[in-house]
Amino acid sequence: MGNLLSNTPGEDHSSQQGVSSSGSARVAHSYIEGSYSGNINSNNTTNIHHNYGSTSSPESCAEILQQLYTSAYESHRRRVREPVEGTCIWVTEHPKYRDWLRIKRSGLLWLSADPGCGKSVIASFLITHLKTQSDAIVCYFFFKDDSDEQRSATFALCAILHQLFSQRNSLCRYAERAFKEKGKRFTEEVDTLWDILIEAVAEGVCGDVICMVDALDECEEVTLAPFIRHVNRLPGSQHSNIPLKFIVTSRPYHKIERELGARATTIRLKGEDAVDATTADVTRVIDDGIKELEVVWENPGGLEYLRNLLKSSADRTFLWVSLVLEILKDSEDDSQVEFTNIVSASPPDLAEFYTKILDKSAKPVKAQRILHIVVGAARPLTLVEMNTALTITQDHRSMRDIQRGLYRSPEKTIKSLCGLFVRIIDSKVYLVHQTAREFLIKGMLPGRGRWQYTLHAVDSNFILADICTAYLALQDFENDPLAMDALGNPGSASRKAVDNYAQKYALIDYAATHWAGHFRDSEDRQMELLEAT
């Protein structure tokens, strides 16, 4: 691993040539090259220039759409739970929402609410509602700070433009100039992307456009500031008459309230003050959960006592109710005494609840390793990737060595070790909620119990760097290198070759792309990694 680690962490490895002439480093480098360019060849997309006319050709539009598809925004939305029938309607009936929807100029609606009160569910509900109840083009993005491609405003604007241009191909022409001048780097600039959006909506005759942006408080600081500045200036600016509206959701944090709440043009809908509406929705969630439990336990109408107990304990929090309902569903004992004990013993305080869930783990050391990986990963890992990550050590020399230790059912293993603290969605591993992440990450305050505030970013990155470097050092990459041409790029069957290679070697995509970042962020533990390799 010496030549692999000789590269400076933090550099853009996709632009380096000749990281190593052979071995693991060359495999990693060639894979990164392949995974980041839409058409893998010897041309760098940043150097492509075209002469664009007043309308986009199908080819140029397709190329622009490809560059704008920087995040799997559709699957990000699927992470959000489906709203129970009848919930979230209070938002669409609220006078402030109706005022925002009614105005003919651009407008900003800010929906704030406390943690665990269903902001993301409301956001997903509103997307469906607006698509079915209006003629507007509806675009969306869900911020999450557990994934690199969900924590930047550039990814949000790329996703919005991708959705807009996919529905109105003719609007691609408004991105052509930036693409011609900057190549794919135009997707990395908040100001450039915003200008494209404004121009496309203002001049493209595309009708009303509504953008739903969820969890603004989870956006990274460096891109959050310019994004808020642009959104803030939309109402009342020179573009105030264009048919572009935004809905943003967030926690009622001071830094966001200072920027959004101070604007006279911002319409603020305080979910934290909508106690009656939230309580009614929590009640609907309980009713729906009880019906499902009665089906599971084949006890129709027999859980009324449980419904009443949950309603008296819920205290407005969707997250708490959802966790308790999941525990009830997984119970092996459906007696009234057991169900009553489960609800009564579930702590009202979320930190205590999370502690109780994790304390049940029979193997806390392994559970903590899983949590380090989930919290520290640059993006959510798939079950296949997680299985390899949990198995590999620096002692492994080949894939055959690793395969002997793989879990037969990684999903069951992860759930048995971490319980309801993790969720598996689309075969990817997530924490149950953003508050679970905040519960784990070490800060200035001391935690309670053996889980709260116990994960340090340096340690999480050390574990992931160790996993990545151990994987890239496997002999398989010496014996089975990815076929490359004379320039060090994948051969003629580029995309297919890279896809097949990634399928064969489950962790190559993650390890080759992110090892350097994790090594860099291991800080004072870097020498341990160098000595281990």
Side-chain angles (χ1 to χ4, degrees):
M1 285 301 298
N3 57 359
L4 180 58
L5 291 175
S6 65
N7 298 293
T8 304
E11 292 180 355
D12 181 3
H13 296 274
S14 64
S15 63
Q16 294 179 8
Q17 295 293 329
V19 175
S20 173
S21 59
S22 64
S24 305
R26 191 176 182 209
V27 172
H29 169 64
S30 64
Y31 186 83
I32 293 172
E33 288 288 330
S35 61
Y36 274 101
S37 60
N39 295 311
I40 307 169
N41 51 46
S42 59
N43 296 320
N44 188 322
T45 56
T46 60
N47 294 323
I48 294 175
H49 292 271
H50 296 288
N51 293 319
Y52 297 109
S54 58
T55 59
S56 293
S57 67
E59 293 78 13
S60 64
C61 184
E63 198 166 12
I64 288 169
L65 285 172
Q66 185 181 54
Q67 297 300 335
L68 288 171
Y69 194 67
T70 56
S71 65
Y73 55 83
E74 305 99 328
S75 66
H76 298 161
R77 184 188 176 192
R78 288 197 293 272
R79 291 179 60 176
V80 180
R81 297 178 187 272
E82 288 288 327
V84 170
E85 185 176 355
T87 60
C88 307
I89 294 174
W90 68 270
V91 177
T92 62
E93 295 177 346
H94 198 284
K96 289 189 175 181
Y97 174 86
R98 291 182 172 179
D99 288 344
W100 167 84
L101 193 61
R102 189 182 301 115
I103 58 176
K104 298 301 181 183
R105 54 180 173 79
S106 59
L108 169 62
L109 175 67
W110 174 29
L111 171 62
S112 62
D114 293 323
C117 288
K119 294 183 296 297
S120 295
V121 175
I122 291 174
S124 186
F125 167 82
L126 288 176
I127 292 167
T128 301
H129 176 80
L130 287 165
K131 283 185 174 183
T132 56
Q133 300 297 320
S134 75
D135 295 327
I137 297 174
V138 181
C139 308
Y140 62 85
F141 187 80
F142 288 77
F143 282 111
K144 284 287 182 185
D145 75 354
D146 62 0
S147 171
D148 280 353
E149 65 176 44
Q150 281 189 265
R151 61 168 67 106
S152 170
T154 58
F155 284 88
L157 288 168
C158 282
I160 288 169
L161 286 172
H162 187 272
Q163 293 166 78
L164 179 61
F165 292 172
S166 295
Q167 295 177 71
R168 297 289 188 275
N169 282 180
S170 62
L171 299 180
C172 285
R173 68 184 184 273
Y174 293 101
E176 285 182 339
R177 180 176 179 180
F179 182 45
K180 181 178 179 180
E181 293 176 351
K182 303 177 181 181
K184 69 177 294 183
R185 289 192 179 277
F186 87 96
T187 65
E188 301 168 6
E189 301 174 357
V190 172
D191 293 345
T192 298
L193 292 166
W194 182 265
D195 289 344
I196 293 170
L197 176 62
I198 292 297
E199 190 175 1
V201 178
E203 301 178 10
V205 196
C206 58
D208 294 340
V209 177
I210 297 175
C211 300
M212 176 77 243
V213 178
D214 179 56
L216 196 61
D217 51 287
E218 295 187 46
C219 177
E220 63 181 7
E221 190 66 36
V222 67
T223 58
L224 175 63
F227 181 75
I228 287 182
R229 184 179 70 249
H230 285 305
V231 172
N232 242 343
R233 290 175 178 173
L234 187 58
S237 71
Q238 60 178 331
H239 299 296
S240 61
N241 291 324
I242 70 172
L244 175 63
K245 295 181 180 180
F246 269 80
I247 311 177
V248 299
T249 73
S250 79
R251 298 181 185 183
Y253 285 161
H254 174 67
K255 66 177 182 179
I256 295 179
E257 186 167 18
R258 185 181 62 223
E259 299 296 330
L260 294 182
R263 300 283 295 186
T265 52
T266 299
I267 297 177
R268 171 84 178 274
L269 203 170
K270 292 186 176 182
E272 61 269 29
D273 291 343
V275 178
D276 292 341
T278 305
T279 301
D281 274 7
V282 170
T283 299
R284 291 186 181 95
V285 171
I286 292 172
D287 289 340
D288 185 76
I290 293 297
K291 288 179 183 177
E292 186 176 350
L293 281 173
E294 289 178 344
V295 172
V296 169
W297 293 106
E298 298 179 350
N299 187 14
L303 299 180
E304 188 63 29
Y305 72 93
L306 193 58
R307 176 185 282 105
N308 295 331
L309 185 59
L310 281 168
K311 287 180 180 179
S312 65
S313 307
D315 193 28
R316 298 171 49 203
T317 308
F318 289 99
L319 181 58
W320 187 91
V321 169
S322 298
L323 288 170
V324 174
L325 287 171
E326 288 292 332
I327 294 173
L328 291 167
K329 193 186 300 181
D330 291 342
S331 174
E332 296 179 359
D333 181 352
D334 66 338
S335 68
Q336 182 170 342
V337 172
E338 177 63 16
F339 277 3
T340 300
N341 285 339
I342 288 173
V343 177
S344 302
S346 296
D349 178 75
L350 208 52
E352 292 182 23
F353 204 154
Y354 285 152
T355 299
K356 184 174 181 179
I357 290 172
L358 291 173
D359 276 346
K360 291 182 178 180
S361 178
K363 298 179 179 179
V365 175
K366 286 189 175 182
Q368 189 177 60
R369 182 174 175 83
I370 291 172
L371 297 176
H372 267 297
I373 294 171
V374 175
V375 168
R379 61 160 174 79
L381 298 185
T382 66
L383 284 169
V384 175
E385 291 172 328
M386 180 63 82
N387 199 1
T388 302
L390 290 174
T391 303
I392 193 170
T393 68
Q394 291 289 347
D395 294 330
H396 287 119
R397 294 290 175 261
S398 68
M399 287 298 301
R400 183 175 296 178
D401 294 340
I402 296 172
Q403 287 165 355
R404 295 193 191 101
L406 291 176
Y407 295 103
R408 293 182 62 184
S409 178
E411 181 171 358
K412 287 183 179 179
T413 299
I414 292 168
K415 286 185 175 180
S416 68
L417 290 172
C418 299
L420 294 175
F421 203 81
V422 297
R423 296 178 68 198
I424 312 296
I425 306 171
D426 291 341
S427 296
K428 293 180 181 178
V429 186
Y430 303 93
L431 296 181
V432 66
H433 192 263
Q434 173 64 13
T435 53
R437 182 181 181 87
E438 295 162 355
F439 167 82
L440 291 172
I441 295 177
K442 189 176 184 64
M444 299 299 292
L445 298 175
R448 292 175 291 173
R450 57 173 169 173
W451 299 99
Q452 188 181 28
Y453 307 151
T454 56
L455 301 193
H456 194 286
V458 169
D459 298 326
S460 299
N461 278 289
F462 171 82
I463 290 170
L464 282 155
D466 186 57
I467 290 167
C468 291
T469 53
Y471 193 81
L472 293 171
L474 295 176
Q475 295 171 355
D476 300 69
F477 301 127
E478 297 279 356
N479 303 327
D480 182 27
L482 180 63
M484 292 178 286
D485 61 23
L487 295 176
N489 297 304
S492 57
S494 54
R495 185 71 264 168
K496 184 176 181 181
V498 171
D499 288 344
N500 289 340
Y501 204 76
Q503 188 171 9
K504 185 176 182 180
Y505 299 108
L507 203 57
I508 185 65
D509 175 36
Y510 189 89
T513 306
H514 298 292
W515 74 266
H518 290 308
F519 179 79
R520 176 196 64 222
D521 294 335
S522 298
E523 298 180 2
D524 57 354
R525 300 196 67 182
Q526 290 177 357
M527 286 306 300
E528 293 180 58
L529 289 166
L530 292 171
E531 292 167 1
T533 56

